[in-house]
Amino acid sequence: MVPVPVVLQADQRGILQVPGWEWAVFRFGHPGLISSIEVDTNHFKGNFPDSCRIEACLLTPEEELQCIQTRWNSGKWEVLLPPQKLHPHQRHHYSKADLTLNRPVSHVRLIIAPDGGVSRLHLWGRLMSVTGAPANQNRPSSKL
């Protein structure tokens, strides 16, 4: 008997409800407060992810080592950007109003579902000390 293929459903925002996802973790050179994000699917017209979300956390070097050993399974991840519908060959911009986390982070995890091409992930914000004070008051907002 031939198995029946699964019929994918979409939620109220049009995001496909698929089992599983792909992800990548990025570590900043210095903790920062993120103020805007760009997820770029340029040049991916037929092989782009349906949706993405971004999680973030603040880790010490010891916590990072433990996360690496456990394949980044940590309870420290918090949603920075809730699930967003993506489109082919487009730059998707998200402002501070779209973000749900307002404190310094050292790592972000880009999660896409299903798999597909992402050209770039840009994060803009301010360098911050772990206590939450700006690392340099005179430095303008920049890519982290």
Side-chain angles (χ1 to χ4, degrees), residues 15-26 38-41 44 47-55 81-87 92 94 108-121:
I15 296 175
L16 290 177
Q17 303 303 295
V18 297
W21 54 81
E22 302 292 327
W23 53 267
V25 173
F26 302 91
E38 177 186 58
V39 178
D40 185 354
T41 60
F44 291 98
N47 182 27
F48 64 98
D50 178 70
S51 64
C52 76
R53 79 176 186 268
I54 297 177
E55 298 174 341
L81 179 69
Q84 302 292 318
K85 181 79 172 165
L86 297 177
H87 302 282
H92 304 82
Y94 306 102
V108 295
R109 178 165 60 179
L110 171 65
I111 301 166
I112 59 172
D115 63 343
V118 173
S119 299
R120 289 177 201 88
L121 172 65

Side-chain angles (χ1 to χ4, degrees), residues 2 4 16 32 40 54 75 79 83 89 94 100 105 129-130 138-139 141 144:
V2 177
V4 178
L16 290 177
D40 185 354
I54 297 177
V79 174
H89 192 59
Y94 306 102
T100 60
V105 297
S129 71
V130 178
N138 299 325
R139 187 176 187 126
S141 181
L144 296 173

Side-chain angles (χ1 to χ4, degrees), residues 34-47:
I34 298 171
S35 58
S36 64
I37 296 173
E38 177 186 58
V39 178
D40 185 354
T41 60
N42 258 343
H43 311 294
F44 291 98
K45 297 177 184 176
N47 182 27

Side-chain angles (χ1 to χ4, degrees), residues 10 26 46 67 75 77 86 99 131 139:
F26 302 91
C67 283
W77 292 112
L86 297 177
L99 307 181
T131 62
R139 187 176 187 126

Side-chain angles (χ1 to χ4, degrees), residues 45-114:
K45 297 177 184 176
N47 182 27
F48 64 98
D50 178 70
S51 64
C52 76
R53 79 176 186 268
I54 297 177
E55 298 174 341
C57 62
L58 180 65
L59 297 175
T60 65
E62 296 78 21
E63 291 170 325
E64 179 187 45
L65 182 58
Q66 185 177 10
C67 283
I68 291 169
Q69 292 171 344
T70 62
R71 302 196 56 169
W72 295 98
N73 289 327
S74 165
K76 291 194 166 254
W77 292 112
E78 296 181 70
V79 174
L80 172 63
L81 179 69
Q84 302 292 318
K85 181 79 172 165
L86 297 177
H87 302 282
H89 192 59
Q90 184 174 325
R91 290 180 173 175
H92 304 82
H93 297 274
Y94 306 102
S95 67
K96 192 170 193 162
D98 300 310
L99 307 181
T100 60
L101 196 57
N102 191 25
R103 58 187 172 80
V105 297
S106 60
H107 294 71
V108 295
R109 178 165 60 179
L110 171 65
I111 301 166
I112 59 172

